[in-house]
Amino acid sequence: MPNDIRTLTNGFAKNPLQARREGLYFKEKDYKCVRADDYSLYAKNENSGVIVVKTHMYLLVATYTEGMYPSVCVEATEKLGEFVSQGLSSLLVVLGLLTACDRDPAQTS
């Protein structure tokens, strides 16, 4: 596992307070962690930052640089995380229903 991915994964696996105290090292930069909980990490370095949102299957990673609005990056990433989580759940339900519909009732006994 590449070090950047390991760093982000450990940010969630360890106590969020520890991530806040120690910060994050990502893409060869030290970031001060400004928020860490079970679902998201926000970290900044001068005029840039990284936002990480955890879904059931993915870690969504977004970055912002100077001239960009951090709040827009946060909102977009959080909403994408909600969409992915809800969308995958809905998709799995639909796939389950389709799979059930594809079965021949005569063959299920």
Side-chain angles (χ1 to χ4, degrees):
M1 181 180 327
N3 285 337
D4 285 339
I5 295 170
R6 184 175 295 119
T7 297
L8 299 177
T9 303
N10 286 342
F12 288 107
K14 294 179 179 178
N15 183 346
L17 287 174
Q18 184 176 356
R20 276 189 242 150
R21 271 182 278 183
E22 294 177 5
L24 297 172
Y25 184 76
F26 181 72
K27 294 279 191 181
E28 300 178 1
K29 289 184 182 177
D30 285 313
Y31 288 88
K32 178 184 177 192
C33 190
V34 293
R35 177 180 174 174
D37 59 34
D38 292 338
Y39 304 102
S40 56
L41 296 171
Y42 304 171
K44 66 179 185 173
N45 174 329
E46 296 180 14
N47 294 324
S48 65
V50 61
I51 310 299
V52 186
V53 173
K54 181 174 77 170
T55 69
H56 295 294
M57 295 180 67
Y58 303 102
L59 287 181
L60 304 176
V61 180
T63 59
Y64 62 89
T65 58
E66 186 173 355
M68 298 172 76
Y69 295 104
S71 60
V72 173
C73 185
V74 167
E75 183 177 2
T77 311
E78 292 281 356
K79 286 188 184 277
L80 181 60
E82 289 173 20
F83 175 78
V84 168
S85 293
Q86 292 172 359
L88 285 177
S89 297
S90 299
L91 179 62
L92 292 175
V93 168
V94 169
L95 288 175
L97 291 173
L98 290 176
T99 303
C101 292
D102 287 343
R103 288 189 209 129
D104 183 356
Q107 294 179 354
T108 58
S109 46

